[in-house]
Amino acid sequence: MKPNPHTVKEQLLSALPKKSARKRAEQIVVNERRPDGSVPEIKANVRTTPGAITQRGCTYAGCKGVVIGPTRDILSITHGPIGCGFYSWLTRRNQTRPEGPDDANYIPYCLSTDMQDEQIVFGGEKKLRAAIEEAYELFHPKAIAIFSTCPVGLIGDDVHAVARDMKEKLGINVFGFSCEGYKGVSQSAGHHIANNQLFRHVVGTNETPRPEKFKINLLGEYNIGGDAFVIEDLLERCGITLVSTFSGNSTYDAFANSHMADLNTVMCHRSINYVAEMMEKKFGIPWIKVNFVGAEGTAKSLRHIAQYFNDAELTERVEKVISDEMTDVLKTQFAVRSRCEGKTAMLFVGGSRAHHYQMLFAEMGMKTVAAGYEFAHRDDYEGRRVLPSIKVDADSRNIEQLEVLPDETRYMPRRGPDELVQLEAAGMDVAAYQGMMPEMEDGALVIDDIYHFETERLLEIYKPDIFCAGIKEKYAVQKAGIPCKQLHSYDYGGPYAGFRGAINFYNEIDRMVNTKIWQYVQAPWETEEELEVEELAS
Ligand code: CFM
């Protein structure tokens, strides 16, 4: 029998003390799409209750690991104790492909100031300066980025002053991030801090003109498992020029030159919407929401880009690429549907994949019965239309909000207001994102910042055919007899973006949900007699 989501919600809350349950109730919502297009309000981007096991990461992770990390030729130095550098070293599968053998790629390196007691007591700026000089001597990079870890903020090291001095001394771009792990309630704060500094120190610093006709940036695509390679190839075949990607397979120069594009396309709204908005304000580049996860989403996104440029030849090429690719996509879809139709999935991932991957499951005939983000905001759940009603709390106020004005000489609106209205009328989300909940079924459970306890209860109650999360959850899920697909790292698989990626995903999920292996999983205590104390001791 299908579980009643309202009862499930009560069950989840019943384990908490009354006051905590009351607060938690606002983060667990039964989805409902109302006739006026609205959905219920969900509480998000708030502190995790102490004691709850959360999936979340820290602000440093969002800044260094997520947004800047995938750029291969910015040399990243973690200012802090060695653990922060070590545990953020090559743990995210953002791939990169330097153009030639002599092109810089610092991603394999882990640079840290290795802060010790002495720096905690007497300050770490001296050691940071020395580290920057040493790194410069070794690599001669175009740019150096300094990332602050928790103790840096606690002892008050001024990484920005050090960056300014070193920039002058070395003659390269050096900039710092106040992305101390505790700065926000999650890694989301780190995204914002990274966006601000990229915009302030890098975007628009390279004026090389771009002669191409159809120039776009791709924002919020991080090349996990090679996704960006697939998208790059698709765009190229369509004749669309990718000026820069923020930040999968990216370079410093591409960021610096990105204001030459005529359109910003945004994949992961959560992590990079700030750059899109700031570029709109300063340079007049409009942004649209795209999604290259799922064959349908990919086709729609390509068509929207073509519509934006309104060029018959481009449209024809885009249609040709789509129809070439769709033959194989449909063949695989048809094959897997016979085995996957009606199966259920749950997705609990960061800030956009819990939404995007529902499309891929839908293409296989599978249903998403519960989903949620680790750290996204209400606009990612309910759509940007709720932005004016989001209360700014002390934690959000803590993160700098850049005041951006039109550039005196370089502001050039790429499209007039009328043209933008026309594009919207043609079904395009111009400077808009509809959010996850309007695309989920009524009765689906939406849970923000899911607690591990709740994950285990959901598995028991719903017994979904697949649960999507990350490495921290993976083995607990499998021990419950349910396959777990990691949607952060792709379990060493991928790519899953674009048409080719969709085919990969269909095949992989088909294999996972139809294998019998998980139903044989039994914990030893479920089968064996309880061992006597003496036996255990021997
Ligand atoms: Fe955006 Fe991401 Fe995600 Fe994200 Fe992430 Fe990621 Fe993610 Mo892991 S930028 S919000 S901070 S799509 S690392 S590539 S998979 S939690 S859903």
Side-chain angles (χ1 to χ4, degrees), residues 496-508:
Y496 296 140
F499 302 104
R500 197 153 55 80
I503 294 174
N504 272 345
F505 193 79
Y506 303 151
N507 285 326
E508 177 127 4

Side-chain angles (χ1 to χ4, degrees), residues 219-389:
L219 273 56
E221 162 48 58
Y222 299 95
N223 203 18
I224 308 299
D227 277 354
F229 297 145
V230 175
I231 303 170
E232 284 170 15
D233 172 66
L234 268 179
L235 293 173
E236 199 187 316
R237 278 157 56 209
C238 291
I240 299 161
T241 305
L242 189 56
V243 180
S244 76
T245 302
F246 289 69
S247 58
N249 194 30
S250 63
T251 61
Y252 173 79
D253 285 336
F255 290 157
N257 194 229
S258 59
H259 62 307
M260 293 294 161
D262 287 322
L263 173 69
N264 277 329
T265 59
V266 174
M267 266 281 276
C268 170
H269 172 265
R270 181 65 269 134
S271 62
I272 205 91
N273 71 85
Y274 318 94
V275 163
E277 274 191 68
M278 291 188 286
M279 284 180 84
E280 218 278 308
K281 282 190 191 145
K282 186 168 179 179
F283 301 108
I285 306 171
W287 69 269
I288 59 168
K289 177 74 179 72
V290 293
N291 173 24
F292 289 102
V293 177
E296 236 176 78
T298 303
K300 191 168 139 192
S301 300
L302 290 174
R303 285 190 175 118
H304 281 173
I305 296 169
Q307 251 172 316
Y308 175 86
F309 288 107
N310 192 19
D311 177 278
E313 249 176 72
L314 175 66
T315 306
E316 199 179 307
R317 266 198 311 268
V318 163
E319 290 303 332
K320 170 90 173 57
V321 169
I322 294 173
S323 75
D324 286 354
E325 296 271 348
M326 280 309 278
T327 319
D328 283 346
V329 167
L330 292 174
K331 224 192 305 175
T332 318
Q333 256 183 34
F334 182 76
V336 299
R337 261 180 183 266
S338 63
R339 292 178 295 267
C340 301
E341 189 92 56
K343 290 197 187 291
T344 55
M346 288 186 178
L347 294 82
F348 289 92
V349 219
S352 78
R353 294 184 172 187
H355 176 199
H356 289 162
Y357 278 79
Q358 292 187 28
M359 319 296 170
L360 271 171
F361 282 114
E363 288 172 4
M364 307 176 67
M366 288 178 62
K367 253 181 75 156
T368 302
V369 288
Y373 299 125
E374 263 173 57
F375 50 73
H377 303 193
R378 272 185 63 204
D379 37 324
D380 303 287
Y381 285 105
E382 302 168 55
R384 275 176 76 95
R385 70 176 83 81
V386 303
L387 276 176
S389 62

